Amino acid sequence: MAGGVVATGGGTHHEGKITLFVIVTCIVAAMGGLLFGYDLGITGGVTSMDQFLLKFFPNVYIQMKDQSGVHHHSQYCKFDNPLLTLFTSSLYLAALVASFFASSITRIMGRKISMFIGGIFFLVGSLLDAFAVNVAMLIIGRLLLGFGVGFCNQSVPLYLSEMAPPKIRGALNIGFQLMITIGILIANLINYKLAKIKNGWRFSLGIGAVPAIILCLGAIFLDDTPNSMIERGKQEKARKMLQRIRGIDNVDEEFQELVNASEEAKKVDNAWKNIIEAKYRPQLVFCSLIPFFQQFTGINVIMFYAPVLFQTLGFGSNASLMSAVITGGVNVVATIISIFSVDKFGRRILFLEGGIQMLLCQIAVGAMIAKEFGVSGVGSFSKGEVNLLLFFICAYVASFAWSWGPLGWLVPSEICSLEIRSAGQAINVSVNMLFTFIIGQVFLMMLCHLKFGLFFFFGGFVVIMTIFIAFFLPETKNVPIEEMNSVWRSHWFWARFIPQDMVNSHAHLQDL
Ligand code: BGC
């Protein structure tokens, strides 16, 4: 999942059917996740298309095609161009800026308006990019898409978790992440199909307008969540809404809980002040470090630049796009595996297994590239080596997708109790967006300078983060939010920050 506040675990089990209304709502809201994934995955393929490069980045094109042997350019530096990377990374900078005001708009004006605004940004951004005549237009389009991401990542997960019956809320958290990976896969497939037609890149960039329209229409026709109505003082409307979405008349108990939760939330208005208190040190540390580490696994090197990377390594342009489809497919399947394993094996096992597997794959990929391309960057892979390399990259993507991918969002959201939740989530989302931007922006430059060593660089971070998890993250599987304090209290390191009287003292705070 990529942002927003999703309540997980805890919660009372109320009666309530999974009504058609809830299903339609979820489909429409899920378009937000799909759009994010689509816009994340589409640029890698587009930036490897000849016609696109010729039009906007002719120098990169010439560098790429220079097989004459006269210049003997290092393969590592073929795509090193800051404007080209800005086309990909600017989205995250805009998302970071937008999420600052998107959270207030989502709270004050409701989830629906925020989703609608996000949808309009997605729509206009896709159209600007599809009809772009110069680089400025391309980048402005990406900035607008980034605003769309900022708004939708605040409102969509919240909308989904508030509309769904409590018993399927936890699954929705990873469900949103799944939609992102499906969006990335669709983008890879579309690039693969459209690369062969004239100006295919325009269609690749424009197709994002379709889910954007569905999202906008949905936001116009669907109602806001009962929680948001209560928050804005519309109690009676909220009760009717709850009856409608649950498909039953007697919703008294759940309604009362929502009202109580809203009252509690008003009392804890200073989440920022709370989170810096010593007793919330574990949450502050995890909400800052988990997103940082998630990005330093290096995953977005593959998600953003797989086709470019594959071309760098001498794959043909068709094979590069096909390889991106394969890694995209592995990403979806492994995320589904994670949905079934996370409550069974627990977070720690997934984190630790994922870390070790990622590291082994990074060492293998780095070593293979070192052997064929060395420091000079001149070389090529045989057919067998290409397949082996692709295998290691897929194994790496799979290990990320069942560990740091979904858990990078799930763990920060489930460890924060109500009095710090909004601040914890804001830190998590902004740190994530900031480092996604930085990695997106500097990857091609780093590849040019660090060469095969880049894979060892990210591998080094994976070692650090895996050790960090092993020593510092307690298991949070099946721990209701109100019992989280006793988990910290019995941890060898965090115990020193948690006063004894804090254990169970927050049991009254309902999970929103
Ligand atoms: C990360 C994204 C990444 C995606 C890949 C998410 O959890 O936050 O940066 O691109 O997973 O599936």
Side-chain angles (χ1 to χ4, degrees), residues 442-490:
V442 302
F443 163 65
L444 293 176
M445 193 182 77
M446 283 170 84
L447 180 65
C448 181
H449 295 284
L450 292 180
K451 307 172 196 320
F452 59 83
L454 183 60
F455 295 89
F456 301 135
F457 169 83
F458 286 122
F461 274 101
V462 170
V463 172
I464 299 173
M465 65 187 85
T466 308
I467 294 176
F468 172 75
I469 293 292
F471 284 101
F472 295 102
L473 184 75
E475 183 54 67
T476 54
K477 172 182 98 171
N478 296 335
V479 180
I481 195 102
E482 58 276 10
E483 273 159 38
M484 213 53 221
N485 284 329
S486 38
V487 173
W488 303 123
R489 181 77 200 154
S490 45

Side-chain angles (χ1 to χ4, degrees), residues 47 58 69 106 110 126 137 149 194-195 211 276 281 317 320 377 421:
T47 41
T106 308
S126 306
M137 214 167 145
V149 170
L194 294 183
I276 52 174
R281 200 50 39 87
S317 86
S320 297
R421 188 176 297 157

Side-chain angles (χ1 to χ4, degrees), residues 121-169:
F121 276 129
F122 274 125
L123 184 60
V124 180
S126 306
L127 294 179
L128 263 187
D129 274 354
F131 292 102
V133 290
N134 53 36
V135 178
M137 214 167 145
L138 266 185
I139 299 209
I140 294 174
R142 290 291 288 175
L143 288 172
L144 293 182
L145 291 174
F147 288 145
V149 170
F151 274 89
C152 287
N153 279 0
Q154 289 290 334
S155 51
V156 173
L158 200 55
Y159 189 84
L160 280 172
S161 73
E162 291 175 349
M163 279 296 189
K167 59 176 180 245
I168 63 164
R169 251 173 230 170

